[in-house]
Amino acid sequence: MNEAQIDLAHTVALGLIDDEDHHAIQTIIDTDDPTLCTEFLREVRDTRGTLALLAELTATAPPPTLRTGLLTALAEEPPVAS
């Protein structure tokens, strides 16, 4: 895989694809080169796994005032007419 394809795999893993990216992804998936397709999908999977691990390792508890603040803000919202 070249750098552009690796970058595209990272874009897919982040969920940031647009129409142009979608076309490029489809070209890789539909390629006659099964190795390229396999490497691309592996890079997407590995990147998603790394992002999930990073999120888990860096997660922090929200401040205690967050719940109270959200509930107060919701209570101040006018009711939605049905």
Side-chain angles (χ1 to χ4, degrees):
M1 271 195 331
N2 62 38
E3 285 297 317
Q5 292 164 334
I6 292 170
D7 288 346
L8 184 60
H10 295 168
T11 302
V12 170
L14 289 166
L16 300 174
I17 61 172
D18 58 20
D19 289 340
E20 185 178 324
D21 293 336
H22 182 73
H23 177 71
I25 294 162
Q26 200 60 50
T27 300
I28 293 171
I29 301 298
D30 293 341
T31 185
D32 290 333
D33 181 357
T35 302
L36 174 60
C37 181
T38 300
E39 287 177 358
F40 180 81
L41 295 175
R42 184 179 303 123
E43 185 69 29
V44 171
R45 184 190 67 232
D46 291 349
T47 301
R48 284 180 175 158
T50 299
L51 290 170
L53 180 60
L54 180 63
E56 184 178 327
L57 292 174
T58 60
T60 58
T65 58
L66 180 63
R67 184 174 194 278
T68 304
L70 286 172
L71 291 174
T72 300
L74 288 171
E76 293 173 355
E77 286 289 315
V80 176
S82 16

